[in-house]
Amino acid sequence: MTTDPAPADPAREDPATGDPAREDPATKDPATKDPATEDPATEDPATEDPAPAGEGTPPTRRRDLPAALLIGVLTLLLGFAFTVQVRNADDEQALAGAREEDLVRIVDEVSSRGVRLREQIADQRSALRQLTSSDSETASALEEAGTRAAALAVLNGTAPAEGPGLRLTLRDPDDVLRVTDLIDVIQELRGAGAETMQFDGVRVGLTTAVTGAPGALLIDGRPVTAPYEVLVLGSPQDLETALNIPGGVVQSVGGRGGSVTVEQVPDLLVDALRPLPEAQYAAPDDD
Amino acid sequence: MIPILGLVAGVLLGLLLDPTVPLGLQPYLPIAVVAALDAVFGGLRARLDGIFDAKVFVISFVSNVVVAALIVFLGDQLGVGAQLSTAVVVVLGIRIFGNAAAIRRHVFRA
């Protein structure tokens, strides 16, 4: 098969070009011998009627009328068919004229593409499900973390808290209460289930320290003065019972010269806050 | 002159009438058009060679179209219509290329 038609000689192409060139070796000779004129001289010998040969153009035209008509009709048909085919190929309804095998192939392609797309849809759906479930897991985890944070904030004293509890008033007219007495009070309340408390306007938390000398006591470095007012949240009965046991806070403070007034309050607000201590050395262990 | 007039008239007719190709003819029309184009190029080349013959042209035109359509038809019957029509188009395209090269040599002397 000739891949490059450009360098081919006319002589070599003759068999390929088919009929017009091959069939007329006789007409070729006069054409090559007489290069000055073109059609009339060369066409005459080929036509069946040699009589008016050499008469010039008009008789040739007349004689060739049927052939010319045929050529005109054929080229007209060609132009018509060409246009129709171009128009037809433009149409999207090219499928209507497609062969059965082409249609089968097209259907195959379309259906396999459909299968692929369905797989994609399934993949995306499962991904969406995973994302949604992990999202809801995240949301519930976040909610739980929020609850824990709130509880820890109450315990730690970084958030205000309210609820039932006791209001204690410690009177110390002679300035005899020492650090240990106040710590005893706090410890006793904690032991009885106090959840959070504030001591004379100072929130008591995890790292709360009581320092100072009698009459000039400090809680977390802030001076407190008698009478000390203690607000504590917890079961009021339990707390009061714990305070009043023999040898307990009420008795010991009373024995030292002070006095304790206990008052149950159903709705108490502990609104003194303490800053969240930043852990400088201890880091959380993730395990 | 007549072929050009015929071509123009045919194109105009096709544009004006804009007919739909019958279903049975749709596989054959493009092949027939290519075959006819091959015949037209061959005729043009023969004319430039000075050996144009109206009878030869007409016969080659018709036989080209008929043989091409016949080959495709046979291919369809044998179940290799698509491949055979491709083959016909390739062969006719090569011939058109060769004729076009010859015409080019005549027109441009190159």
Side-chain angles (χ1 to χ4, degrees):
Chain A
M1 196 161 279
T2 55
T3 52
D4 187 8
D9 294 325
R12 189 149 63 85
E13 275 172 26
D14 277 344
T17 49
D19 307 334
R22 192 152 34 128
E23 225 178 68
D24 310 297
T27 58
K28 201 166 188 176
D29 294 337
T32 46
K33 283 171 191 165
D34 187 11
T37 58
E38 36 171 0
D39 302 344
T42 57
E43 278 179 23
D44 284 342
T47 50
E48 285 161 11
D49 187 10
E55 270 186 353
T57 318
T60 312
R61 277 268 166 86
R62 186 162 41 83
R63 191 175 38 77
D64 278 348
L65 195 60
L69 267 182
L70 261 181
I71 292 175
V73 168
L74 287 181
T75 49
L76 186 139
L77 273 178
L78 172 60
F80 184 71
F82 188 87
T83 316
V84 169
Q85 176 59 26
V86 168
R87 278 275 179 98
N88 194 47
D90 275 350
D91 284 353
E92 278 301 321
Q93 43 169 311
L95 277 184
R99 285 184 189 79
E100 201 173 328
E101 51 201 283
D102 288 341
L103 289 176
V104 168
R105 185 176 45 78
I106 290 171
V107 168
D108 266 358
E109 282 173 4
V110 168
S111 62
S112 72
R113 211 175 71 188
V115 168
R116 271 203 306 279
L117 288 177
R118 264 196 290 280
E119 283 170 2
Q120 268 185 23
I121 289 177
D123 284 354
Q124 307 275 26
R125 281 236 178 89
S126 71
L128 179 66
R129 246 194 319 273
Q130 278 176 6
L131 285 178
T132 320
S133 72
S134 80
D135 196 38
S136 68
E137 280 172 19
T138 309
S140 62
L142 189 66
E143 196 176 339
E144 194 183 341
T147 314
R148 286 169 61 91
L152 287 174
V154 168
L155 288 181
N156 219 13
T158 53
E162 62 173 347
L166 295 185
R167 175 183 291 131
L168 269 63
T169 311
L170 276 73
R171 291 190 185 75
D172 183 19
D174 303 329
D175 286 341
V176 293
L177 289 183
R178 299 164 305 172
V179 168
T180 49
D181 297 315
L182 264 54
I183 290 180
D184 276 347
V185 173
I186 294 171
Q187 290 285 51
E188 197 74 58
L189 290 171
R190 278 181 172 164
E195 285 165 2
T196 190
M197 68 184 88
Q198 72 182 51
F199 206 109
D200 214 30
V202 181
R203 187 73 169 261
V204 177
L206 201 63
T207 55
T208 297
V210 183
T211 52
L217 291 174
L218 304 169
I219 293 182
D220 276 348
R222 289 160 68 171
V224 289
T225 52
Y228 310 111
E229 185 192 47
V230 182
L231 303 178
V232 53
L233 297 189
S235 166
Q237 284 80 23
D238 292 355
L239 293 173
E240 188 164 5
T241 308
L243 292 176
N244 285 324
I245 58 169
V249 168
V250 173
Q251 221 172 56
S252 66
V253 170
R256 294 191 61 79
S259 68
V260 179
T261 315
V262 179
E263 178 192 358
Q264 291 192 16
V265 183
D267 192 13
L268 200 59
L269 178 64
V270 176
D271 58 354
L273 300 181
R274 61 199 305 270
L276 185 66
E278 287 276 347
Q280 193 177 351
Y281 302 104
D285 186 7
D286 279 339
D287 293 339
Chain B
M1 203 64 206
I2 291 175
I4 296 174
L5 281 180
L7 268 180
V8 170
V11 169
L12 287 182
L13 263 181
L15 286 177
L16 286 181
L17 296 181
D18 194 15
T20 51
V21 185
L23 254 183
L25 274 185
Q26 277 188 353
Y28 308 113
L29 186 59
I31 300 296
V33 167
V34 174
L37 274 180
D38 172 54
V40 166
F41 273 89
L44 187 56
R45 180 194 174 180
R47 182 192 164 93
L48 289 173
D49 281 339
I51 55 171
F52 181 80
D53 184 340
K55 190 181 79 177
V56 171
F57 172 75
V58 170
I59 292 177
S60 76
F61 187 105
V62 174
S63 72
N64 253 8
V65 169
V66 169
V67 168
L70 199 67
I71 289 177
V72 176
F73 173 75
L74 274 180
D76 271 346
Q77 299 307 307
L78 295 173
V80 288
Q83 292 89 327
L84 257 187
S85 57
T86 306
V88 167
V89 167
V90 167
V91 169
L92 291 177
I94 288 171
R95 287 173 49 129
I96 290 175
F97 254 109
N99 284 331
I103 292 167
R104 187 202 64 217
R105 269 193 287 280
H106 270 288
V107 173
F108 299 110
R109 309 263 173 243

